[in-house]
Amino acid sequence: MRQESIKLIMSLNGDDIEKYHLTSLQGNLATLMKPIGYKNLVSNENSSIDGSLILCSPSMRKAQKRDLSLKFLIKSASLLDLQRDTDTLVNVLISGKNGSGLNELHVPQLCKTFRLVFSTIDSYSNYGLDGWATLSIKFTEPDPTNTAE
């Protein structure tokens, strides 16, 4: 199996992620390219029929929201700067683009802009006192069909 070898270029709400001292880590491409899921079919089961009665056309199924965890390396000059940079990043993610709470993550290699709502930083690993850490940011994509190209 071929390893992910390209460096993803990303911008967050119009700014290159390097502004926030971030570098995309391996696995983000696969996470973003994973096919969207669909809502369950609505069916009716009753004792007067065999099987189930599907109440809506399977071809009319709608996409369900999805949760994504994206991994980044954050590099700062010192441990104090790392804390400040992480706090700044969290505030930017909470505010979203233009204070809307919705973040736009643009990935030129995919020709897509993903619209994501920040949930939490679900993992964080500090590399001692040098100001480097890896973090996994959890987002919710409320409507995976609403991506700009």
Side-chain angles (χ1 to χ4, degrees), residues 6-46:
I6 64 168
K7 178 185 175 199
L8 282 184
I9 299 166
M10 295 181 171
S11 64
L12 177 65
N13 300 327
D15 296 318
D16 190 301
I17 62 170
E18 291 179 2
K19 175 181 178 178
Y20 305 106
H21 310 282
L22 296 176
T23 302
S24 176
L25 294 179
Q26 187 170 346
N28 288 345
L29 178 62
T31 299
L32 292 169
M33 290 187 65
K34 181 181 175 188
I36 60 176
Y38 289 89
K39 294 179 181 178
N40 292 330
L41 291 172
V42 178
S43 63
N44 183 5
E45 300 219 9
N46 68 55

PDB file of all heavy atoms in Angstrom, residues 6-46:
ATOM      1  N   ILE A   6       2.307  13.351  -0.338  1.00  0.00           N
ATOM      2  CA  ILE A   6       2.232  14.762  -0.681  1.00  0.00           C
ATOM      3  C   ILE A   6       1.965  15.599   0.561  1.00  0.00           C
ATOM      4  O   ILE A   6       1.305  15.161   1.496  1.00  0.00           O
ATOM      5  CB  ILE A   6       1.142  15.045  -1.744  1.00  0.00           C
ATOM      6  CG1 ILE A   6      -0.255  14.731  -1.215  1.00  0.00           C
ATOM      7  CG2 ILE A   6       1.413  14.294  -3.015  1.00  0.00           C
ATOM      8  CD1 ILE A   6      -1.356  15.249  -2.096  1.00  0.00           C
ATOM      9  N   LYS A   7       2.524  16.794   0.550  1.00  0.00           N
ATOM     10  CA  LYS A   7       2.265  17.727   1.637  1.00  0.00           C
ATOM     11  C   LYS A   7       1.018  18.519   1.262  1.00  0.00           C
ATOM     12  O   LYS A   7       0.986  19.197   0.236  1.00  0.00           O
ATOM     13  CB  LYS A   7       3.453  18.670   1.825  1.00  0.00           C
ATOM     14  CG  LYS A   7       3.212  19.691   2.914  1.00  0.00           C
ATOM     15  CD  LYS A   7       4.340  20.690   3.011  1.00  0.00           C
ATOM     16  CE  LYS A   7       3.973  21.737   4.034  1.00  0.00           C
ATOM     17  NZ  LYS A   7       4.756  22.944   3.898  1.00  0.00           N
ATOM     18  N   LEU A   8       0.001  18.410   2.079  1.00  0.00           N
ATOM     19  CA  LEU A   8      -1.226  19.151   1.798  1.00  0.00           C
ATOM     20  C   LEU A   8      -1.030  20.624   2.083  1.00  0.00           C
ATOM     21  O   LEU A   8      -0.513  21.004   3.137  1.00  0.00           O
ATOM     22  CB  LEU A   8      -2.379  18.636   2.662  1.00  0.00           C
ATOM     23  CG  LEU A   8      -3.048  17.347   2.243  1.00  0.00           C
ATOM     24  CD1 LEU A   8      -4.219  17.046   3.162  1.00  0.00           C
ATOM     25  CD2 LEU A   8      -3.537  17.412   0.815  1.00  0.00           C
ATOM     26  N   ILE A   9      -1.436  21.433   1.146  1.00  0.00           N
ATOM     27  CA  ILE A   9      -1.455  22.886   1.335  1.00  0.00           C
ATOM     28  C   ILE A   9      -2.858  23.221   1.797  1.00  0.00           C
ATOM     29  O   ILE A   9      -3.845  22.781   1.197  1.00  0.00           O
ATOM     30  CB  ILE A   9      -1.128  23.606   0.021  1.00  0.00           C
ATOM     31  CG1 ILE A   9       0.263  23.206  -0.457  1.00  0.00           C
ATOM     32  CG2 ILE A   9      -1.251  25.107   0.182  1.00  0.00           C
ATOM     33  CD1 ILE A   9       0.549  23.596  -1.883  1.00  0.00           C
ATOM     34  N   MET A  10      -2.971  23.961   2.887  1.00  0.00           N
ATOM     35  CA  MET A  10      -4.288  24.289   3.438  1.00  0.00           C
ATOM     36  C   MET A  10      -4.345  25.756   3.830  1.00  0.00           C
ATOM     37  O   MET A  10      -3.336  26.333   4.242  1.00  0.00           O
ATOM     38  CB  MET A  10      -4.585  23.469   4.689  1.00  0.00           C
ATOM     39  CG  MET A  10      -4.702  22.002   4.495  1.00  0.00           C
ATOM     40  SD  MET A  10      -5.071  21.212   6.082  1.00  0.00           S
ATOM     41  CE  MET A  10      -5.419  19.563   5.565  1.00  0.00           C
ATOM     42  N   SER A  11      -5.536  26.303   3.699  1.00  0.00           N
ATOM     43  CA  SER A  11      -5.777  27.630   4.271  1.00  0.00           C
ATOM     44  C   SER A  11      -7.013  27.535   5.153  1.00  0.00           C
ATOM     45  O   SER A  11      -7.945  26.778   4.865  1.00  0.00           O
ATOM     46  CB  SER A  11      -5.939  28.689   3.186  1.00  0.00           C
ATOM     47  OG  SER A  11      -7.078  28.447   2.395  1.00  0.00           O
ATOM     48  N   LEU A  12      -6.968  28.272   6.240  1.00  0.00           N
ATOM     49  CA  LEU A  12      -8.059  28.291   7.209  1.00  0.00           C
ATOM     50  C   LEU A  12      -8.669  29.680   7.218  1.00  0.00           C
ATOM     51  O   LEU A  12      -7.984  30.658   7.547  1.00  0.00           O
ATOM     52  CB  LEU A  12      -7.521  27.924   8.597  1.00  0.00           C
ATOM     53  CG  LEU A  12      -8.514  27.954   9.744  1.00  0.00           C
ATOM     54  CD1 LEU A  12      -9.596  26.888   9.551  1.00  0.00           C
ATOM     55  CD2 LEU A  12      -7.802  27.749  11.070  1.00  0.00           C
ATOM     56  N   ASN A  13      -9.918  29.768   6.811  1.00  0.00           N
ATOM     57  CA  ASN A  13     -10.639  31.041   6.753  1.00  0.00           C
ATOM     58  C   ASN A  13      -9.877  32.100   5.957  1.00  0.00           C
ATOM     59  O   ASN A  13      -9.836  33.269   6.316  1.00  0.00           O
ATOM     60  CB  ASN A  13     -10.955  31.546   8.169  1.00  0.00           C
ATOM     61  CG  ASN A  13     -11.801  30.559   8.928  1.00  0.00           C
ATOM     62  OD1 ASN A  13     -12.629  29.869   8.355  1.00  0.00           O
ATOM     63  ND2 ASN A  13     -11.592  30.476  10.226  1.00  0.00           N
ATOM     64  N   GLY A  14      -9.236  31.659   4.878  1.00  0.00           N
ATOM     65  CA  GLY A  14      -8.531  32.571   3.984  1.00  0.00           C
ATOM     66  C   GLY A  14      -7.060  32.771   4.299  1.00  0.00           C
ATOM     67  O   GLY A  14      -6.347  33.405   3.530  1.00  0.00           O
ATOM     68  N   ASP A  15      -6.576  32.256   5.425  1.00  0.00           N
ATOM     69  CA  ASP A  15      -5.174  32.399   5.810  1.00  0.00           C
ATOM     70  C   ASP A  15      -4.461  31.059   5.693  1.00  0.00           C
ATOM     71  O   ASP A  15      -5.003  30.032   6.110  1.00  0.00           O
ATOM     72  CB  ASP A  15      -5.046  32.883   7.260  1.00  0.00           C
ATOM     73  CG  ASP A  15      -5.628  34.267   7.476  1.00  0.00           C
ATOM     74  OD1 ASP A  15      -5.404  35.141   6.609  1.00  0.00           O
ATOM     75  OD2 ASP A  15      -6.299  34.479   8.506  1.00  0.00           O
ATOM     76  N   ASP A  16      -3.233  31.079   5.154  1.00  0.00           N
ATOM     77  CA  ASP A  16      -2.417  29.873   5.108  1.00  0.00           C
ATOM     78  C   ASP A  16      -2.267  29.345   6.534  1.00  0.00           C
ATOM     79  O   ASP A  16      -2.087  30.134   7.470  1.00  0.00           O
ATOM     80  CB  ASP A  16      -1.048  30.201   4.515  1.00  0.00           C
ATOM     81  CG  ASP A  16      -0.233  28.957   4.219  1.00  0.00           C
ATOM     82  OD1 ASP A  16       0.026  28.178   5.163  1.00  0.00           O
ATOM     83  OD2 ASP A  16       0.145  28.768   3.051  1.00  0.00           O
ATOM     84  N   ILE A  17      -2.332  28.028   6.712  1.00  0.00           N
ATOM     85  CA  ILE A  17      -2.257  27.476   8.071  1.00  0.00           C
ATOM     86  C   ILE A  17      -0.924  27.775   8.739  1.00  0.00           C
ATOM     87  O   ILE A  17      -0.820  27.727   9.965  1.00  0.00           O
ATOM     88  CB  ILE A  17      -2.568  25.962   8.123  1.00  0.00           C
ATOM     89  CG1 ILE A  17      -1.564  25.141   7.306  1.00  0.00           C
ATOM     90  CG2 ILE A  17      -4.006  25.692   7.704  1.00  0.00           C
ATOM     91  CD1 ILE A  17      -1.673  23.646   7.506  1.00  0.00           C
ATOM     92  N   GLU A  18       0.097  28.104   7.954  1.00  0.00           N
ATOM     93  CA  GLU A  18       1.390  28.461   8.539  1.00  0.00           C
ATOM     94  C   GLU A  18       1.302  29.738   9.373  1.00  0.00           C
ATOM     95  O   GLU A  18       2.132  29.952  10.254  1.00  0.00           O
ATOM     96  CB  GLU A  18       2.456  28.573   7.452  1.00  0.00           C
ATOM     97  CG  GLU A  18       2.790  27.213   6.846  1.00  0.00           C
ATOM     98  CD  GLU A  18       3.822  27.275   5.740  1.00  0.00           C
ATOM     99  OE1 GLU A  18       4.322  28.383   5.445  1.00  0.00           O
ATOM    100  OE2 GLU A  18       4.126  26.216   5.178  1.00  0.00           O
ATOM    101  N   LYS A  19       0.304  30.572   9.110  1.00  0.00           N
ATOM    102  CA  LYS A  19       0.084  31.766   9.940  1.00  0.00           C
ATOM    103  C   LYS A  19      -0.146  31.359  11.395  1.00  0.00           C
ATOM    104  O   LYS A  19       0.203  32.090  12.319  1.00  0.00           O
ATOM    105  CB  LYS A  19      -1.117  32.555   9.421  1.00  0.00           C
ATOM    106  CG  LYS A  19      -1.502  33.734  10.291  1.00  0.00           C
ATOM    107  CD  LYS A  19      -2.714  34.477   9.776  1.00  0.00           C
ATOM    108  CE  LYS A  19      -3.083  35.611  10.717  1.00  0.00           C
ATOM    109  NZ  LYS A  19      -4.229  36.375  10.225  1.00  0.00           N
ATOM    110  N   TYR A  20      -0.738  30.188  11.597  1.00  0.00           N
ATOM    111  CA  TYR A  20      -1.021  29.674  12.942  1.00  0.00           C
ATOM    112  C   TYR A  20       0.037  28.662  13.377  1.00  0.00           C
ATOM    113  O   TYR A  20      -0.182  27.916  14.319  1.00  0.00           O
ATOM    114  CB  TYR A  20      -2.426  29.061  12.973  1.00  0.00           C
ATOM    115  CG  TYR A  20      -3.471  30.040  12.516  1.00  0.00           C
ATOM    116  CD1 TYR A  20      -4.070  29.915  11.264  1.00  0.00           C
ATOM    117  CD2 TYR A  20      -3.833  31.115  13.308  1.00  0.00           C
ATOM    118  CE1 TYR A  20      -5.002  30.838  10.823  1.00  0.00           C
ATOM    119  CE2 TYR A  20      -4.766  32.052  12.875  1.00  0.00           C
ATOM    120  CZ  TYR A  20      -5.338  31.904  11.632  1.00  0.00           C
ATOM    121  OH  TYR A  20      -6.269  32.820  11.191  1.00  0.00           O
ATOM    122  N   HIS A  21       1.186  28.642  12.656  1.00  0.00           N
ATOM    123  CA  HIS A  21       2.320  27.771  12.959  1.00  0.00           C
ATOM    124  C   HIS A  21       1.966  26.290  12.792  1.00  0.00           C
ATOM    125  O   HIS A  21       2.532  25.439  13.467  1.00  0.00           O
ATOM    126  CB  HIS A  21       2.862  28.046  14.367  1.00  0.00           C
ATOM    127  CG  HIS A  21       3.113  29.491  14.634  1.00  0.00           C
ATOM    128  ND1 HIS A  21       4.217  30.149  14.169  1.00  0.00           N
ATOM    129  CD2 HIS A  21       2.372  30.426  15.287  1.00  0.00           C
ATOM    130  CE1 HIS A  21       4.164  31.426  14.528  1.00  0.00           C
ATOM    131  NE2 HIS A  21       3.047  31.622  15.201  1.00  0.00           N
ATOM    132  N   LEU A  22       1.033  25.977  11.885  1.00  0.00           N
ATOM    133  CA  LEU A  22       0.571  24.607  11.677  1.00  0.00           C
ATOM    134  C   LEU A  22       1.173  23.986  10.423  1.00  0.00           C
ATOM    135  O   LEU A  22       1.382  24.668   9.422  1.00  0.00           O
ATOM    136  CB  LEU A  22      -0.954  24.564  11.550  1.00  0.00           C
ATOM    137  CG  LEU A  22      -1.779  24.988  12.750  1.00  0.00           C
ATOM    138  CD1 LEU A  22      -3.265  24.975  12.390  1.00  0.00           C
ATOM    139  CD2 LEU A  22      -1.512  24.080  13.935  1.00  0.00           C
ATOM    140  N   THR A  23       1.400  22.685  10.495  1.00  0.00           N
ATOM    141  CA  THR A  23       1.767  21.861   9.345  1.00  0.00           C
ATOM    142  C   THR A  23       0.837  20.655   9.359  1.00  0.00           C
ATOM    143  O   THR A  23       0.667  20.007  10.397  1.00  0.00           O
ATOM    144  CB  THR A  23       3.231  21.378   9.454  1.00  0.00           C
ATOM    145  OG1 THR A  23       4.084  22.519   9.547  1.00  0.00           O
ATOM    146  CG2 THR A  23       3.613  20.543   8.250  1.00  0.00           C
ATOM    147  N   SER A  24       0.233  20.380   8.222  1.00  0.00           N
ATOM    148  CA  SER A  24      -0.659  19.228   8.105  1.00  0.00           C
ATOM    149  C   SER A  24       0.149  17.940   8.217  1.00  0.00           C
ATOM    150  O   SER A  24       1.224  17.822   7.639  1.00  0.00           O
ATOM    151  CB  SER A  24      -1.385  19.280   6.763  1.00  0.00           C
ATOM    152  OG  SER A  24      -2.186  18.149   6.577  1.00  0.00           O
ATOM    153  N   LEU A  25      -0.383  16.975   8.952  1.00  0.00           N
ATOM    154  CA  LEU A  25       0.303  15.697   9.134  1.00  0.00           C
ATOM    155  C   LEU A  25      -0.352  14.596   8.308  1.00  0.00           C
ATOM    156  O   LEU A  25      -1.468  14.746   7.799  1.00  0.00           O
ATOM    157  CB  LEU A  25       0.319  15.306  10.616  1.00  0.00           C
ATOM    158  CG  LEU A  25       1.136  16.225  11.528  1.00  0.00           C
ATOM    159  CD1 LEU A  25       1.053  15.759  12.974  1.00  0.00           C
ATOM    160  CD2 LEU A  25       2.597  16.298  11.069  1.00  0.00           C
ATOM    161  N   GLN A  26       0.356  13.483   8.207  1.00  0.00           N
ATOM    162  CA  GLN A  26      -0.114  12.343   7.430  1.00  0.00           C
ATOM    163  C   GLN A  26      -1.470  11.861   7.945  1.00  0.00           C
ATOM    164  O   GLN A  26      -1.719  11.825   9.141  1.00  0.00           O
ATOM    165  CB  GLN A  26       0.901  11.210   7.524  1.00  0.00           C
ATOM    166  CG  GLN A  26       0.576  10.049   6.625  1.00  0.00           C
ATOM    167  CD  GLN A  26       1.724   9.062   6.561  1.00  0.00           C
ATOM    168  OE1 GLN A  26       2.829   9.346   6.962  1.00  0.00           O
ATOM    169  NE2 GLN A  26       1.430   7.887   6.032  1.00  0.00           N
ATOM    170  N   GLY A  27      -2.332  11.502   7.020  1.00  0.00           N
ATOM    171  CA  GLY A  27      -3.656  10.995   7.354  1.00  0.00           C
ATOM    172  C   GLY A  27      -4.766  11.980   7.040  1.00  0.00           C
ATOM    173  O   GLY A  27      -5.918  11.585   6.887  1.00  0.00           O
ATOM    174  N   ASN A  28      -4.424  13.270   6.933  1.00  0.00           N
ATOM    175  CA  ASN A  28      -5.463  14.267   6.666  1.00  0.00           C
ATOM    176  C   ASN A  28      -6.072  14.122   5.288  1.00  0.00           C
ATOM    177  O   ASN A  28      -7.274  14.323   5.108  1.00  0.00           O
ATOM    178  CB  ASN A  28      -4.920  15.684   6.867  1.00  0.00           C
ATOM    179  CG  ASN A  28      -4.683  16.015   8.325  1.00  0.00           C
ATOM    180  OD1 ASN A  28      -5.170  15.327   9.220  1.00  0.00           O
ATOM    181  ND2 ASN A  28      -3.937  17.068   8.577  1.00  0.00           N
ATOM    182  N   LEU A  29      -5.271  13.763   4.305  1.00  0.00           N
ATOM    183  CA  LEU A  29      -5.794  13.571   2.953  1.00  0.00           C
ATOM    184  C   LEU A  29      -6.847  12.472   2.938  1.00  0.00           C
ATOM    185  O   LEU A  29      -7.947  12.650   2.399  1.00  0.00           O
ATOM    186  CB  LEU A  29      -4.655  13.239   1.985  1.00  0.00           C
ATOM    187  CG  LEU A  29      -5.067  12.966   0.540  1.00  0.00           C
ATOM    188  CD1 LEU A  29      -5.729  14.194  -0.073  1.00  0.00           C
ATOM    189  CD2 LEU A  29      -3.856  12.541  -0.280  1.00  0.00           C
ATOM    190  N   ALA A  30      -6.543  11.344   3.564  1.00  0.00           N
ATOM    191  CA  ALA A  30      -7.501  10.227   3.607  1.00  0.00           C
ATOM    192  C   ALA A  30      -8.768  10.629   4.362  1.00  0.00           C
ATOM    193  O   ALA A  30      -9.879  10.272   3.959  1.00  0.00           O
ATOM    194  CB  ALA A  30      -6.865   9.007   4.259  1.00  0.00           C
ATOM    195  N   THR A  31      -8.621  11.376   5.437  1.00  0.00           N
ATOM    196  CA  THR A  31      -9.782  11.821   6.215  1.00  0.00           C
ATOM    197  C   THR A  31     -10.688  12.711   5.380  1.00  0.00           C
ATOM    198  O   THR A  31     -11.907  12.540   5.376  1.00  0.00           O
ATOM    199  CB  THR A  31      -9.321  12.575   7.485  1.00  0.00           C
ATOM    200  OG1 THR A  31      -8.553  11.681   8.296  1.00  0.00           O
ATOM    201  CG2 THR A  31     -10.501  13.103   8.282  1.00  0.00           C
ATOM    202  N   LEU A  32     -10.097  13.647   4.658  1.00  0.00           N
ATOM    203  CA  LEU A  32     -10.899  14.581   3.855  1.00  0.00           C
ATOM    204  C   LEU A  32     -11.519  13.915   2.632  1.00  0.00           C
ATOM    205  O   LEU A  32     -12.593  14.306   2.185  1.00  0.00           O
ATOM    206  CB  LEU A  32     -10.042  15.773   3.428  1.00  0.00           C
ATOM    207  CG  LEU A  32      -9.606  16.691   4.563  1.00  0.00           C
ATOM    208  CD1 LEU A  32      -8.556  17.683   4.074  1.00  0.00           C
ATOM    209  CD2 LEU A  32     -10.797  17.418   5.171  1.00  0.00           C
ATOM    210  N   MET A  33     -10.856  12.898   2.096  1.00  0.00           N
ATOM    211  CA  MET A  33     -11.355  12.242   0.879  1.00  0.00           C
ATOM    212  C   MET A  33     -12.324  11.100   1.156  1.00  0.00           C
ATOM    213  O   MET A  33     -12.921  10.567   0.215  1.00  0.00           O
ATOM    214  CB  MET A  33     -10.187  11.737   0.041  1.00  0.00           C
ATOM    215  CG  MET A  33      -9.399  12.858  -0.588  1.00  0.00           C
ATOM    216  SD  MET A  33      -8.146  12.266  -1.731  1.00  0.00           S
ATOM    217  CE  MET A  33      -9.171  11.534  -3.009  1.00  0.00           C
ATOM    218  N   LYS A  34     -12.483  10.732   2.421  1.00  0.00           N
ATOM    219  CA  LYS A  34     -13.401   9.633   2.741  1.00  0.00           C
ATOM    220  C   LYS A  34     -14.798   9.963   2.217  1.00  0.00           C
ATOM    221  O   LYS A  34     -15.312  11.064   2.447  1.00  0.00           O
ATOM    222  CB  LYS A  34     -13.453   9.423   4.253  1.00  0.00           C
ATOM    223  CG  LYS A  34     -14.351   8.294   4.664  1.00  0.00           C
ATOM    224  CD  LYS A  34     -14.386   8.140   6.175  1.00  0.00           C
ATOM    225  CE  LYS A  34     -15.400   7.073   6.556  1.00  0.00           C
ATOM    226  NZ  LYS A  34     -15.599   7.024   7.987  1.00  0.00           N
ATOM    227  N   PRO A  35     -15.421   9.033   1.507  1.00  0.00           N
ATOM    228  CA  PRO A  35     -16.770   9.294   0.985  1.00  0.00           C
ATOM    229  C   PRO A  35     -17.760   9.618   2.112  1.00  0.00           C
ATOM    230  O   PRO A  35     -17.652   9.085   3.217  1.00  0.00           O
ATOM    231  CB  PRO A  35     -17.154   7.979   0.291  1.00  0.00           C
ATOM    232  CG  PRO A  35     -15.852   7.328  -0.021  1.00  0.00           C
ATOM    233  CD  PRO A  35     -14.917   7.722   1.098  1.00  0.00           C
ATOM    234  N   ILE A  36     -18.694  10.494   1.804  1.00  0.00           N
ATOM    235  CA  ILE A  36     -19.681  10.887   2.813  1.00  0.00           C
ATOM    236  C   ILE A  36     -20.659   9.747   3.059  1.00  0.00           C
ATOM    237  O   ILE A  36     -20.873   8.896   2.192  1.00  0.00           O
ATOM    238  CB  ILE A  36     -20.439  12.175   2.399  1.00  0.00           C
ATOM    239  CG1 ILE A  36     -21.194  11.985   1.091  1.00  0.00           C
ATOM    240  CG2 ILE A  36     -19.487  13.338   2.313  1.00  0.00           C
ATOM    241  CD1 ILE A  36     -22.027  13.166   0.672  1.00  0.00           C
ATOM    242  N   GLY A  37     -21.255   9.743   4.231  1.00  0.00           N
ATOM    243  CA  GLY A  37     -22.271   8.751   4.566  1.00  0.00           C
ATOM    244  C   GLY A  37     -23.662   9.308   4.294  1.00  0.00           C
ATOM    245  O   GLY A  37     -23.854  10.517   4.134  1.00  0.00           O
ATOM    246  N   TYR A  38     -24.621   8.419   4.238  1.00  0.00           N
ATOM    247  CA  TYR A  38     -25.999   8.832   3.974  1.00  0.00           C
ATOM    248  C   TYR A  38     -26.900   8.424   5.127  1.00  0.00           C
ATOM    249  O   TYR A  38     -26.632   7.469   5.847  1.00  0.00           O
ATOM    250  CB  TYR A  38     -26.485   8.218   2.653  1.00  0.00           C
ATOM    251  CG  TYR A  38     -25.797   8.859   1.480  1.00  0.00           C
ATOM    252  CD1 TYR A  38     -24.600   8.364   0.989  1.00  0.00           C
ATOM    253  CD2 TYR A  38     -26.316  10.008   0.916  1.00  0.00           C
ATOM    254  CE1 TYR A  38     -23.942   8.983  -0.058  1.00  0.00           C
ATOM    255  CE2 TYR A  38     -25.672  10.643  -0.138  1.00  0.00           C
ATOM    256  CZ  TYR A  38     -24.483  10.125  -0.615  1.00  0.00           C
ATOM    257  OH  TYR A  38     -23.838  10.754  -1.643  1.00  0.00           O
ATOM    258  N   LYS A  39     -27.975   9.182   5.285  1.00  0.00           N
ATOM    259  CA  LYS A  39     -28.939   8.899   6.347  1.00  0.00           C
ATOM    260  C   LYS A  39     -29.630   7.566   6.090  1.00  0.00           C
ATOM    261  O   LYS A  39     -29.757   7.131   4.939  1.00  0.00           O
ATOM    262  CB  LYS A  39     -29.975  10.020   6.433  1.00  0.00           C
ATOM    263  CG  LYS A  39     -29.363  11.346   6.867  1.00  0.00           C
ATOM    264  CD  LYS A  39     -30.398  12.443   6.922  1.00  0.00           C
ATOM    265  CE  LYS A  39     -29.738  13.750   7.345  1.00  0.00           C
ATOM    266  NZ  LYS A  39     -30.685  14.859   7.372  1.00  0.00           N
ATOM    267  N   ASN A  40     -30.065   6.937   7.161  1.00  0.00           N
ATOM    268  CA  ASN A  40     -30.765   5.663   7.039  1.00  0.00           C
ATOM    269  C   ASN A  40     -32.089   5.842   6.300  1.00  0.00           C
ATOM    270  O   ASN A  40     -32.728   6.891   6.392  1.00  0.00           O
ATOM    271  CB  ASN A  40     -31.046   5.068   8.421  1.00  0.00           C
ATOM    272  CG  ASN A  40     -29.779   4.640   9.113  1.00  0.00           C
ATOM    273  OD1 ASN A  40     -28.815   4.256   8.473  1.00  0.00           O
ATOM    274  ND2 ASN A  40     -29.787   4.703  10.429  1.00  0.00           N
ATOM    275  N   LEU A  41     -32.467   4.803   5.592  1.00  0.00           N
ATOM    276  CA  LEU A  41     -33.770   4.818   4.925  1.00  0.00           C
ATOM    277  C   LEU A  41     -34.882   4.758   5.963  1.00  0.00           C
ATOM    278  O   LEU A  41     -34.734   4.121   7.006  1.00  0.00           O
ATOM    279  CB  LEU A  41     -33.903   3.612   3.994  1.00  0.00           C
ATOM    280  CG  LEU A  41     -33.016   3.626   2.758  1.00  0.00           C
ATOM    281  CD1 LEU A  41     -33.106   2.286   2.039  1.00  0.00           C
ATOM    282  CD2 LEU A  41     -33.415   4.750   1.830  1.00  0.00           C
ATOM    283  N   VAL A  42     -35.978   5.412   5.666  1.00  0.00           N
ATOM    284  CA  VAL A  42     -37.149   5.351   6.528  1.00  0.00           C
ATOM    285  C   VAL A  42     -37.997   4.178   6.050  1.00  0.00           C
ATOM    286  O   VAL A  42     -38.337   4.079   4.870  1.00  0.00           O
ATOM    287  CB  VAL A  42     -37.962   6.668   6.463  1.00  0.00           C
ATOM    288  CG1 VAL A  42     -39.206   6.573   7.314  1.00  0.00           C
ATOM    289  CG2 VAL A  42     -37.095   7.840   6.894  1.00  0.00           C
ATOM    290  N   SER A  43     -38.290   3.285   6.975  1.00  0.00           N
ATOM    291  CA  SER A  43     -39.083   2.123   6.595  1.00  0.00           C
ATOM    292  C   SER A  43     -40.157   1.863   7.645  1.00  0.00           C
ATOM    293  O   SER A  43     -40.100   2.384   8.752  1.00  0.00           O
ATOM    294  CB  SER A  43     -38.186   0.887   6.431  1.00  0.00           C
ATOM    295  OG  SER A  43     -37.574   0.567   7.655  1.00  0.00           O
ATOM    296  N   ASN A  44     -41.115   1.051   7.239  1.00  0.00           N
ATOM    297  CA  ASN A  44     -42.208   0.700   8.128  1.00  0.00           C
ATOM    298  C   ASN A  44     -42.301  -0.822   8.162  1.00  0.00           C
ATOM    299  O   ASN A  44     -42.390  -1.466   7.129  1.00  0.00           O
ATOM    300  CB  ASN A  44     -43.521   1.307   7.619  1.00  0.00           C
ATOM    301  CG  ASN A  44     -44.687   1.030   8.544  1.00  0.00           C
ATOM    302  OD1 ASN A  44     -44.525   0.472   9.618  1.00  0.00           O
ATOM    303  ND2 ASN A  44     -45.860   1.432   8.107  1.00  0.00           N
ATOM    304  N   GLU A  45     -42.264  -1.349   9.355  1.00  0.00           N
ATOM    305  CA  GLU A  45     -42.418  -2.787   9.513  1.00  0.00           C
ATOM    306  C   GLU A  45     -43.755  -3.030  10.212  1.00  0.00           C
ATOM    307  O   GLU A  45     -44.012  -2.450  11.263  1.00  0.00           O
ATOM    308  CB  GLU A  45     -41.280  -3.352  10.364  1.00  0.00           C
ATOM    309  CG  GLU A  45     -39.929  -3.112   9.747  1.00  0.00           C
ATOM    310  CD  GLU A  45     -39.004  -4.291   9.928  1.00  0.00           C
ATOM    311  OE1 GLU A  45     -39.449  -5.348  10.373  1.00  0.00           O
ATOM    312  OE2 GLU A  45     -37.832  -4.131   9.580  1.00  0.00           O
ATOM    313  N   ASN A  46     -44.584  -3.831   9.593  1.00  0.00           N
ATOM    314  CA  ASN A  46     -45.817  -4.215  10.277  1.00  0.00           C
ATOM    315  C   ASN A  46     -46.129  -5.664   9.948  1.00  0.00           C
ATOM    316  O   ASN A  46     -45.595  -6.243   9.001  1.00  0.00           O
ATOM    317  CB  ASN A  46     -46.969  -3.248   9.946  1.00  0.00           C
ATOM    318  CG  ASN A  46     -47.427  -3.319   8.516  1.00  0.00           C
ATOM    319  OD1 ASN A  46     -47.776  -4.387   8.036  1.00  0.00           O
ATOM    320  ND2 ASN A  46     -47.425  -2.177   7.831  1.00  0.00           N
TER     321      ASN A  46
END
